[in-house]
Amino acid sequence: MPDGGIGASTKRREDVRFLTGKGRYTDDYNRPDQTYVWFLRSDVAHGRITKLDTSAAEAMPGVVKIFTSADFTTAGGIPAGWQIHDRQGEPMKEPKHPILAEGKVRHVGDPIAAVVAETRAQARDAAEAIEVDIEELPAVVDMRAALEAGSALVHDDMGTNLCFDWGFVEDNRDAVDAAIKAAPHVTTLELVNNRLIPNAMEPRVALGDYDQADDQHTLYTTSQNPHVIRLLMGAFVLSIPEQKLRVVAPDVGGGFGSKIFHYAEEAFVTAAAKVVGRPVKWTSTRSEAFMSDAHGRDHVTKIELATEKDGTFLALRSTTLANMGAYLSTFAPSIPTYLHGTLMAGNYKTPQIYVNVRAVFTNTVPVDAYRGAGRPEATFQIERVIDKAARELGIDPIEIRRRNYVTEFPYQTPVAVNYDIGDYNALMDKLIEIADVAGFPARREESAARGRLRGLGISSYIEACGIAPSNLVGQLGARAGLYEAATVRVNPTGGITVFTGSHSHGQGHETTFPQVVASMLGIDAGSIEISHGDTAKVPFGMGTYGSRSLAVGGSAIVKAVDKIIAKAKKIAAHLMEAAETDIELKDGRFSVAGTDKSVAWADVTLAAYVPHNYPLDQIEPGLEETAFYDPSNFTYPAGAYACEVEVDPETGVVTVLGFAAADDFGNVVNPMIVEGQVHGGIAQGIGQAMLEAAGYDENGQITTGSYMDYAMPRSNDVPNYKVDHSCVTPCTHNPLGVKGCGEAGAIGSPPAFVNAVLDALNSGGIKVDHINMPLTPSRVWAAIQAARA
Amino acid sequence: MYAFELVRPATVAEAVAALAEDGAQALGGGQTLIPTLKARLAMPEKLVSLGGIAELRGVTVEGDEVRIGGGTPHATVAHEVAKAYPALASLAERIGDPHVRNRGTIGGSLANNDPSACYPAAALASGATIVTNKREIAADDYFQGMFATALDEGEIITEVIFPIPQAAHYEKIRQPASRFPLVAVFVAKFADGVRVAVTGAAENGVFRWTEAEEALSADFSPSAVEGLSADSDGMIGDMHGTPEYRAHLIGVMTRRAVAAAG
Amino acid sequence: MPQVSMTVNGRKVSGEVEGRTLLVEFLREGLRLTGTHVGCDTAQCGACVVHVNGNSIKSCNIFALEADGAEVTTIEGIAGKDGSLSVVQAAFQTHHGLQCGYCTPGMVMTATSLLKENPAPSEAEIREYLEGNICRCTGYHNIVKAIQAAAAELGSNRVAAE
């Protein structure tokens, strides 16, 4: 094994450019003669445009052209990438999502017109001079009210605000109803999974360029998946053949899901660059991001858990309203359905489960995947209702989980998925050790001496990563495949470029993927380069989201390297006049088994490109292979988390004192990076549970339109974390035995935090069943007051 | 931002002259004004930067008072008054973040009088004197409601004079997003009585909690204000806290401030 | 249009700006020093932190004209002339104190200021000092660790020099 192979905490090579200010983010790209666009956005949530006069604005200094929906009559709408069928088998309602508003605005931030000008300031100045009158309509904000008869309609022609009413598994519905009715004990909880704004630190940017000479469009954009953008935008919105459209996503400053989706601004700059004959650049301000980036979560749920008196789970029923916002964002319909319903078994052998989700249109920003995407929503319900059941039944929260864990694998859940492998008890054992659960009572006493209430919250989670296989997800409504592609190009002198369809926006692929290849070939990782993010360079790939890059993208690389090795062995066999079956590859050398004959890696690669002595009758020259990998199943990372908090009962202020995470990610390529992923996920989970919430008032105005009101986790809000990934059950169906680690932290941590606060309160004699996230000081204090009243 | 002209006078006299023009507005450290301009919520024709005026910067401690130039950044105050008036230094070193403290000025903060700003609480509780290019204004007369002060158009805060109390403390609970005070209380004990100023809580901005002042003047101990509660009438209600919650916090912060002041 | 002159990373520069041109705009668009980032418009995220006359400030919250005549250091001016990483930069790499890299320039500038003001900060002091720098990726754990490591290394360098 060379240095820097699988299992090494190799320092990240990409860091050097990031640390010295040499990163290449989209906003750092500029094209000669570039123009700038400013979008005039709706300041009301719902209304009819009665007047739109751009003539005065057109006369403003620097204006190149002003666009309205009239300029996009031949363009298609921004498409949804997943079609859900409802309980009756009918397809979901799928309203048009125009690039610029057509007659009606449907959320604060909906773009009405776009000003292209010589400078950004001039574009914004002119946008203010556009005369627009909007006849305001009642805003649809609350999901329950949206479904009542007589509610205003977000999309008039649909006749309803209901996108779909989905049952999963619909055939289980009656059996689950009966089981809950007959159960000795039923624990019920109504809860909200709060609406979040992803807030990658890099705001979105899109730069469109058009080369008239060869009719080529180029879009530079802040995307997690440039090929998906090229496909959706080219095929559905702008009718540009893919060979005429290049999408480049260079260094991207965080995504967390929000940069998966195809956005109107991308289509706009691509189309406008051709119309004005000059490059067009859009850089989102943070204020714009709050009203134009897809939001996340926003579920209102009733969860019911039926148990025996001893805590054995009998049945689970989840009834959820899921906010879609005003339009269907790219993967919106899949989040509350297949990424949520399939996870409702959690780590437990609950025999009967039924999930009902009604997806609702409202006059709010579209809602789509955000780190975890459906799985945090599922986990939060399960882990909260279990904690409540434990309290009601007088069973220790760790014990009730252990009594119900799945212990035999593979395990077929009642919600379609099949867990290949795991060991949830081992994870809980590890957690108890690293969280020092034994020492907790003493720590609680120490807090009590200072007038504080200390609580310990536990959660378990299971995740489904690397969503697949394509033929199955196609049946479930996906309009894209979910494989990944890789090309491995070996250069004559032995160096390698790996072209991957995965996209790194913080995950460290430039470091970890070479570790995988280096381990397979036994060569130095430093001679392996990763290329990603440019549709003109890399094979058609599906990008990075859903913790899929290593499990799916890494597997594609492995498959391609396998092909390279197979061919290289043929070449080596020829060079050494040996049988191909006798060739062994070790430490970067090919040798003939049982002899001292060997040739170096670079001898073989040179022969491939200078084929003077070469089996040309059997194989082609060159050493470059492409593989597409389509997994046969999801991967199922799992973990056990513990959060320790202190509550100040006088103020309601919660302080997170400790957080421990024991995860099973299968095999780990770079422990340092994996731990970093967990850290970040935990902070986002604590953010959701303690700080963050996107607010709307009854008129559909965003009440959290900047960091002045949207509380981002800061360094002094979070503790150091104890993370462990030593419990390993390798994935059984991908070549690396890996599972994915990107979202785990954000999935397991919110219930651990909330359970901890409730433990602190209840153990302190303050009887509180639930507090909706985020558990701000004000909400915790109000809950304490209500309990004492 | 809308377009404007930016001028950088070198003296108070030049600044005053520049501010006399129509549409002119003073720019202190800009930590609140610049975000406001970015949001296009203000439309000055001319911004008069006070940052280049040396005579506005500096801290002097003389006998029982601290004099702080209106253009002095928070970081300088935190450093310079640490010995003479530790409660004021502690307030200054908890405003915003280190970068904001290197730019934001005491004069800018007091001139803006944000209902959630820190400095107004110190000025009011200390019974400070706000010195301008024209006059001296007692803190009790200076604060006139949310974003409202006794300053005239074009009037510049040149200095703030803080009497140094026998004991003082500033206790704050942060609004989780902005990190401004959700509620903060400055308690200052002088020979002739105790002053208690509250910021972050009331719609009308900083105010003196006279009931607590009376109780604490009689007995400067946390128990003196135990059970005393502020009226929730006129308190701010928003997603970060109801009026009742803020009123409750005033009591808690006051007790804790007294305990910490010793 | 008004002219502005300053010294950036040791180089004298000047250019035309508007009154409303922010320092960060002058750096990024005027000088093409794109290492300094913009992550918000309310002066909270800290991706734009640079040093002006030795003090860390948010370059999105100061006009270019206000920095006229100033000494400005940006992230591009932190590494050695030979490209070698500073102690703080190297510690961020060693301890994985960055992921997407977007907040990183501001974090490095802030950490550099902190260690100048307070060579041996406690964990709590580090966390308080980072109050004005938001990171969405790392959960701060490894940033804090990197700064602690840099402090230790700078401390032992100082001892060695004495």
Side-chain angles (χ1 to χ4, degrees), chain A residues 121 124-125 128 452 648 650-653 691 703-704 707-712 714 716-717 777-778 781, chain B residues 1-2 38-40 173-180 239-242 244-245 248-249 252-253 255-256:
Chain A
R124 189 168 179 183
D125 290 344
E128 287 197 10
R452 301 290 191 270
D648 177 346
E650 274 197 314
T651 61
V653 170
L691 297 161
T703 54
T704 51
Y707 292 148
M708 294 298 282
D709 286 308
Y710 190 89
M712 292 285 280
R714 309 222 190 180
N716 49 13
D717 289 320
S778 145
W781 179 78
Chain B
M1 273 178 275
Y2 297 106
K38 284 185 201 169
R40 298 198 164 204
I173 177 166
R174 284 189 286 214
Q175 194 256 60
S178 69
R179 308 297 170 124
F180 277 65
M239 77 195 78
H240 307 292
T242 57
E244 292 71 28
Y245 180 55
H248 164 77
L249 286 179
V252 179
M253 294 297 106
R255 263 199 328 276
R256 291 184 182 179

Side-chain angles (χ1 to χ4, degrees), chain B residues 1-4 6 8 27 30-31 34-35 37-38 40 47 49 96-99 102-103 174 177-179, chain C residues 18-20 22 41-44 49 55-58 60-63 65-66 68 110 128-129 131-133:
Chain B
M1 273 178 275
Y2 297 106
F4 52 79
L6 189 137
R8 296 183 80 207
L27 170 66
Q31 301 306 287
I34 295 176
L37 293 168
K38 284 185 201 169
R40 298 198 164 204
L47 275 191
S49 166
D97 58 56
H99 325 297
N102 282 331
R103 291 290 303 162
R174 284 189 286 214
S178 69
R179 308 297 170 124
Chain C
E18 291 185 81
R20 61 178 165 177
L22 297 164
D41 42 19
T42 50
Q44 284 175 304
V49 168
N55 292 322
S56 72
I57 56 112
K58 288 177 167 167
C60 80
N61 222 22
I62 173 175
F63 294 110
L65 285 170
E66 293 183 279
D68 191 46
T110 302
E128 282 300 314
Y129 202 90
E131 164 114 13
N133 293 76

